[in-house]
Amino acid sequence: MNTMGPIEDARMLAPPPETKSRSELGQGDFLKLMITQFKNQDPFEPMDNGEFLGQLAQFSTVSGIDSLNSAFASLAGSIQGEQALQAANLVGRSVLAITDTGYLSKVGSLDAAIELDAAAGDVQVDVTDASGQLVKRLYLGEQAGGIVRFSWDGLDSSGERMQPGNYQLSARIVRGTAIESAPTLIEADVESVTLGQSGQGMTLNLRGGSALSLSQVYQIT
């Protein structure tokens, strides 16, 4: 016959309490060590004021670092959550991204842009395929400073439609006798988002199989 009451039964069935890892010293451990040191110090050679203040400073530093690490961890989690929400809102939309590679589909054009810090006498854009072969050269002519938008219709220099795939765009700016290169901005469709793990950033997966980081988004179109 069981003579135990419900409280005793619950205690027997309850799992043992979890033990915390003791691989690190907390504030309570630090205080215990310091008090134990006071109790066992040589009364003829007690700790001087400088040593005592030094240990208090160490305790303060340990406590401050622990609080700072907790604050940073909380801030990092908050930032990552906000970035995840922003990135998720881009799925199914088009972005103007800082990249030199764009995807040409079976129909339509490849839309892109160049940001000029000043007016240019002539702007040219070379379109090359995956093997590095020149497909077509676009002549944009004289342009004012700012964002210069343009499109490649997908045709090569002989008027033939190119196969779907990724193509590279490289821009040249002519100012007098000087020729400069300029970064390109390419319009791309966002299909999905990969959330970064282990400190890695988030990745936007684009139509055509390429990807870019969230920081490469110049404009949402």
Side-chain angles (χ1 to χ4, degrees):
M1 179 175 180
N2 185 8
T3 59
M4 293 185 180
I7 296 179
E8 287 79 2
D9 290 340
R11 289 177 179 175
M12 292 182 65
L13 295 175
E18 296 183 358
T19 58
K20 296 184 179 179
S21 173
R22 305 301 297 168
S23 61
E24 298 180 356
L25 291 177
Q27 296 181 11
D29 299 317
F30 193 95
L31 283 173
K32 287 180 180 179
L33 287 173
M34 191 165 62
I35 293 173
T36 302
Q37 182 181 3
F38 289 157
K39 289 180 179 179
N40 294 278
Q41 67 180 342
D42 188 349
F44 296 102
E45 294 183 1
M47 182 185 302
D48 60 25
N49 293 337
E51 290 178 314
F52 178 72
L53 292 176
Q55 292 202 1
L56 286 180
Q58 291 178 10
F59 171 73
S60 177
T61 300
V62 170
S63 177
I65 292 176
D66 185 60
S67 300
L68 188 61
N69 287 338
S70 299
F72 277 146
S74 176
L75 178 61
S78 176
I79 292 175
Q80 186 176 19
E82 184 178 353
Q83 288 183 339
L85 183 60
Q86 293 175 350
N89 289 332
L90 295 178
V91 176
R93 304 185 66 175
S94 295
V95 297
L96 196 61
I98 305 172
T99 178
D100 61 355
T101 303
Y103 179 74
L104 178 70
S105 59
K106 290 183 179 180
V107 295
S109 60
L110 196 163
D111 300 323
I114 305 171
E115 184 177 15
L116 301 179
D117 55 1
D122 187 23
V123 177
Q124 303 172 8
V125 178
D126 286 346
V127 181
T128 55
D129 59 19
S131 64
Q133 296 295 318
L134 180 63
V135 174
K136 191 172 184 179
R137 178 166 294 166
L138 307 177
Y139 296 94
L140 306 183
E142 184 177 356
Q143 298 289 340
I147 297 294
V148 178
R149 291 184 173 271
F150 64 94
S151 296
W152 173 47
D153 56 12
L155 304 181
D156 62 11
S157 56
S158 61
E160 295 292 331
R161 178 76 184 186
M162 297 298 296
Q163 293 294 322
N166 289 316
Y167 292 85
Q168 187 177 38
L169 305 182
S170 56
R172 289 190 306 276
I173 302 172
V174 179
R175 291 191 176 101
T177 58
I179 300 178
E180 308 170 5
S181 60
T184 55
L185 307 169
I186 295 181
E187 191 168 322
D189 298 327
V190 180
E191 290 190 334
S192 64
V193 175
T194 300
L195 301 181
Q197 301 294 331
S198 302
Q200 297 179 351
M202 299 177 190
T203 302
L204 304 181
N205 304 310
L206 309 178
R207 183 164 61 96
S210 59
L212 51 85
S213 66
L214 186 62
S215 61
Q216 289 179 263
V217 175
Y218 179 86
Q219 187 180 80
I220 302 173
T221 59

